[in-house]
Amino acid sequence: MDLELGDAHRELRDVARAWVDKEVVPYAAAWDRAESVDTAIVRKLGDMGFLGIEIPEEYGGSGGDALSYCVLLEELGRGDSSVRGIVSVSLGLVGKSIKSYGSEQQKRDWLPRLCAGESLGCFGLTEPGTGSDAANLTTRAVRDGEDWVLTGTKMFITNGTWADIALIFARTGQPGPKGVTAFLVPTDVPGFGRTEIKGKLGLRGQATAEIVLDGVRVPDSARLGGEGQGFRIAMAALDKGRMGVAAGCVGVARACLEAAVRYAGEREQFGKPIASYQLVQELIADIAVDVEAARLLAWRVADLVDRGKPFGTEASVAKLFASEAAVKAANNAIQVFGGYGYIDEYPVSKYLRDARVLTLYEGTSQIQKLLIGRALTGVNAFV
Ligand SMILES: Cc1cc2nc3c(=O)[nH]c(=O)nc-3n(C[C@H](O)[C@H](O)[C@H](O)COP(=O)(O)OP(=O)(O)OC[C@H]3O[C@@H](n4cnc5c(N)ncnc54)[C@H](O)[C@@H]3O)c2cc1C
């Protein structure tokens, strides 16, 4: 059951699928156990052009459109959510923000390196005290002559310990969203500290960090966009990021489907393959329906993006549905595997652990519902 793609998108899908089967799938379980993917994967992603989708070629990108991005993220999500997340953050949240809001110099300084996988980006919005309520962040950036001095703590930052550049959101003015400004902070500057957060339920291969900014000094040329524009930049990145997360969720659900179908055909109970039992088929059919529906929702967002139409609410719908579907798919797959689904000899327990965070980051499911509800009713339930 595959929707019809045009030649270019089909070719990208086939190349990405073959690459994931060779470079990701065989290692995903070991990376999970080691709590680190092999960082050489970043350069490999760059060599394939996977860190440059939707970035113009003049900045080292590989071009393509939002649908290309969805096609790629579905394949990466099927292979390993930790690897998919590296791309979602470095390209999706950081690279694309630089493309949209960066000065010519910032684009020339950072985009070719990010696209090649020579540099990695991280996105520093969440803080210990402000997650869903990101507009109330407390990291401060204070003017000092031609420079800015940043002080504060960022929490749960994907790629945080590996990144060369951090897109940091800091308060430069009034309370609330209008007082936030974005900065591109090299991670090797004095005062930039980072500690890896270990013991995660899933996404264990991914580097998640707490970042402490202790009087970090950057020039005004490190500011991304205008003063007070930072929250808008963050929300624009997350709107589009949600489309990519949704596509990644489709990949997780597909991995669950493939594993469940294979196992149901092999495993025999009561003298027959368990695939012959209707209740087992129901578990599998429910995953398949969600895969199709979630993909359509993600691709609808891509279509809106590619036609230059508003897409924020549709991105929330897609992210909400697809992330909940990925968790359900992993649960169903474990059910099909029975006790073997509960041990890590098979990949389905990892799928559940990895999928669980998808309903939490880039806006929890509750936050997506509030965004959808606000768009439908005109009433802001956040306050
Ligand atoms: C593995 C991982 C990677 C991450 N990567 C990044 C990253 O790269 N960059 C980054 O900036 N952040 C990142 N995050 C942070 C993530 O985006 C936040 O965890 C998320 O936004 C939720 O914030 P919180 O954890 O503070 O939960 P809280 O905001 O404290 O929410 C707790 C609960 O309350 C609910 N809730 C909160 N407000 C409301 C409300 N108004 N109405 C109803 N329910 C509400 C939430 O839905 C949730 O169920 C990551 C998190 C994880 C776990």
Side-chain angles (χ1 to χ4, degrees):
M1 283 191 278
D2 248 340
L3 288 170
E4 273 305 305
L5 289 168
D7 287 348
H9 292 109
R10 210 171 38 239
E11 190 184 333
L12 171 66
R13 181 198 62 193
D14 293 347
V15 167
R17 194 172 288 180
W19 183 84
V20 164
D21 279 338
K22 179 164 170 271
E23 299 285 354
V24 177
V25 171
Y27 309 105
W31 292 337
D32 182 59
R33 288 189 199 111
E35 289 197 59
S36 179
V37 305
D38 179 353
T39 50
I41 200 80
V42 176
R43 276 307 281 267
K44 291 183 185 176
L45 286 162
D47 289 346
M48 292 301 293
F50 295 162
L51 285 164
I53 300 270
E54 283 191 271
I55 304 290
E57 288 174 21
E58 61 173 309
Y59 298 115
S62 28
D65 53 13
L67 182 58
S68 315
Y69 187 66
C70 284
V71 165
L72 173 67
L73 262 61
E74 179 179 328
E75 297 307 322
L76 295 177
R78 178 181 147 269
D80 183 44
S81 292
S82 289
V83 173
R84 195 272 307 153
I86 292 170
V87 177
S88 283
V89 172
S90 193
L91 166 62
L93 298 182
V94 180
K96 289 184 192 170
S97 294
I98 296 173
K99 179 185 91 167
S100 300
Y101 298 96
S103 64
E104 190 56 28
Q105 192 61 46
Q106 287 168 333
K107 290 181 199 176
R108 300 225 169 267
D109 283 349
W110 289 109
L111 289 179
R113 288 152 66 182
L114 289 171
C115 293
E118 289 166 13
S119 295
L120 198 65
C122 69
F123 183 84
L125 179 66
T126 303
E127 299 183 353
T130 54
S132 302
D133 189 14
N136 275 323
L137 59 83
T138 60
T139 292
R140 292 204 69 83
V142 178
R143 266 282 199 185
D144 185 21
E146 289 299 298
D147 295 341
W148 292 91
V149 179
L150 280 72
T151 306
T153 303
K154 296 291 176 180
M155 190 66 182
F156 297 131
I157 306 305
T158 301
N159 295 345
T161 48
W162 295 341
D164 306 282
I165 184 77
L167 177 52
I168 297 288
F169 298 90
R171 186 157 305 287
T172 53
Q174 58 182 289
K178 292 190 178 140
V180 176
T181 301
F183 296 90
L184 288 168
V185 182
T187 57
D188 59 359
V189 294
F192 193 104
R194 43 193 174 169
T195 314
E196 184 154 356
I197 298 170
K198 289 282 190 186
K200 298 197 298 278
L201 176 67
L203 292 190
R204 290 192 184 157
Q206 202 170 75
T208 309
E210 181 182 35
I211 290 177
V212 175
L213 302 145
D214 183 10
V216 167
R217 183 175 287 272
V218 290
D220 189 46
S221 59
R223 181 168 39 79
L224 185 76
E227 273 181 59
Q229 210 190 352
F231 195 70
R232 201 142 62 81
I233 293 173
M235 292 306 110
L238 290 176
D239 275 352
K240 226 171 151 194
R242 284 167 190 150
M243 172 192 74
V245 172
C249 295
V250 178
V252 175
R254 247 183 66 215
C256 295
L257 182 61
E258 289 169 15
V261 168
R262 202 165 40 241
Y263 188 80
E266 291 164 0
R267 175 72 172 172
E268 292 196 357
Q269 288 294 285
F270 302 97
K272 286 194 288 187
I274 58 169
S276 59
Y277 300 116
Q278 291 169 353
L279 294 177
V280 173
Q281 288 196 6
E282 183 189 39
L283 291 166
I284 291 172
D286 283 349
I287 305 175
V289 171
D290 277 355
V291 165
E292 299 295 320
R295 183 186 288 128
L296 279 171
L297 289 173
W299 287 9
R300 177 173 68 143
V301 182
D303 177 57
L304 291 169
V305 172
D306 289 335
R307 287 189 293 122
K309 304 275 185 200
F311 62 89
T313 307
E314 289 79 1
S316 286
V317 170
K319 199 268 181 183
L320 172 63
F321 183 86
S323 60
E324 296 289 345
V327 174
K328 263 193 287 166
N331 251 322
N332 278 16
I334 289 175
Q335 202 64 23
V336 171
F337 275 73
Y340 292 95
Y342 200 67
I343 57 176
D344 72 356
E345 184 183 337
Y346 292 97
V348 287
S349 60
K350 174 177 176 297
Y351 296 152
L352 181 65
R353 289 188 289 101
D354 285 351
R356 195 59 192 80
V357 77
L358 300 167
T359 71
L360 299 174
Y361 66 19
E362 300 214 15
T364 65
S365 289
Q366 287 72 31
I367 293 303
Q368 305 310 327
K369 286 178 187 173
L370 294 185
L371 291 169
I372 297 163
R374 184 175 68 184
L376 289 172
T377 65
V379 179
N380 186 359
F382 285 100
V383 286

